[in-house]
Amino acid sequence: MRRRAVVIGGSLGGLFAAGFLQELGWQVDVYERVADELAARGAGIGTHGALFDALRRLGVEIDDRLGIRVTERICLDGNGNTVHTKRVDQVMSHWARVYRALKERIGPGHYHAGRNFSGFTEQGAEVIAGFDDGSEARADLLIGADGLRSSVRAQLIPDAEPRYAGYVAWRGLVKDGELPDGLRKSLGDGYYFVLPPGEMMLCYLVPGRDWNYVWYRPTTE
Ligand SMILES: Cc1cc2nc3c(=O)[nH]c(=O)nc-3n(C[C@H](O)[C@H](O)[C@H](O)COP(=O)(O)OP(=O)(O)OC[C@H]3O[C@@H](n4cnc5c(N)ncnc54)[C@H](O)[C@@H]3O)c2cc1C
């Protein structure tokens, strides 16, 4: 009989775990508490070689649709003057592109949205995942990929608490076409940084020609 796995959390971590288990011949079901399409919540995400290797191993085709290639990082001062440049070749993607590619691979019958995991029990060699709606899923393996405030981890290691890193990030997307003409031309396809003391702002283009911006700022919890 095929071995069965239940993955709690249908974001990138859960989808990668599910994909690799499927590759190994497991029957895998992913349970995600958010009922609507997660892709709508994502913004820009930088890629790197390890991500491409993992995607390729899962048979995901890597082509120009995955992201926008940037070749230079440009650091600006507070007045918008360039203070430093560095050649770095990187593809900037959209979280939704990576997510959709992985989710498609899992297959719709194995991705269960709107299912909030509430706890697990063990019965012999089986693990039984319970959900808020009273339903259950039985498997040989349970994977907790349910993020920073993981309910799976809370049951296994009740004392583990996330530690505040000391800063928050604001991020958003602006349509390239909504920028003033002059600004759009001067930005080109660059990857920009501004580094006020103790802070970092960055922006880059993602597929769909949206500018992804993030502002990291220290603040109390
Ligand atoms: C919707 C979304 C959009 C994101 N967009 C970006 C982005 O644009 N750029 C970027 O750099 N990073 C983004 N991130 C962050 C980044 O992808 C991840 O935080 C990081 O890669 C770690 O992934 P993860 O799968 O371990 O955890 P997470 O991405 O945090 O995923 C955990 C998942 O588990 C689900 N979950 C939690 N509790 C339960 C439960 N009890 N039962 C069932 N499911 C549960 C959550 O809803 C979530 O989907 C995003 C994350 C999410 C969830």
Side-chain angles (χ1 to χ4, degrees):
M1 209 171 71
R2 278 175 84 195
R3 287 176 297 177
R4 299 155 304 158
V6 159
V7 176
I8 307 299
S11 177
L12 302 190
L15 288 172
F16 269 116
F20 283 116
L21 282 166
Q22 281 184 336
E23 282 293 293
L24 294 170
W26 287 64
Q27 180 188 312
V28 189
D29 283 278
V30 177
Y31 293 86
E32 166 55 49
R33 75 171 163 201
V34 174
D36 58 358
E37 177 61 23
L38 279 185
R41 303 179 180 200
I45 194 162
T47 69
H48 41 77
L51 174 69
F52 290 144
D53 289 347
L55 289 172
R56 274 194 204 98
R57 281 175 55 199
L58 291 177
V60 174
E61 202 185 324
I62 311 285
D63 60 25
D64 289 349
R65 284 170 298 174
L66 190 67
I68 293 187
R69 182 169 294 280
V70 294
T71 52
E72 194 171 41
R73 293 187 176 190
I74 302 155
C75 189
L76 305 176
D77 67 14
N79 298 315
N81 302 309
T82 300
V83 290
H84 189 68
T85 60
K86 188 174 170 59
R87 289 202 71 77
V88 180
D89 210 16
Q90 194 175 9
V91 172
M92 310 312 286
S93 187
H94 196 298
W95 189 87
R97 302 248 163 155
V98 181
Y99 166 78
R100 284 207 185 99
L102 292 170
K103 190 176 167 194
E104 264 169 34
R105 210 194 155 281
I106 299 300
H110 295 285
Y111 191 97
H112 311 276
R115 300 284 289 280
N116 190 28
F117 167 85
S118 50
F120 68 85
T121 51
E122 288 175 273
Q123 214 172 69
E126 263 192 338
V127 59
I128 305 164
F131 300 91
D132 271 2
D133 59 6
S135 62
E136 286 180 352
R138 289 167 178 266
D140 305 298
L141 175 70
L142 173 80
I143 295 202
D146 49 343
L148 183 64
R149 301 194 182 278
S150 166
S151 307
V152 177
R153 187 186 55 224
Q155 186 174 343
L156 283 169
I157 319 170
D159 295 337
E161 278 292 324
R163 200 168 54 230
Y164 179 50
Y167 63 93
V168 295
W170 285 272
R171 56 149 217 199
L173 292 169
V174 180
K175 288 249 160 275
D176 194 41
E178 288 171 6
L179 295 179
D181 268 357
L183 178 61
R184 191 169 64 241
K185 283 193 189 107
S186 66
L187 287 174
D189 283 359
Y191 184 177
Y192 292 91
F193 292 83
V194 183
L195 302 167
E199 301 181 20
M200 180 164 82
M201 299 168 190
L202 59 86
C203 73
Y204 54 84
L205 269 176
V206 296
R209 293 203 75 79
D210 287 320
W211 282 94
N212 177 79
Y213 64 85
V214 193
W215 178 17
Y216 299 91
R217 187 150 208 246
T219 182
T220 51
E221 195 163 355

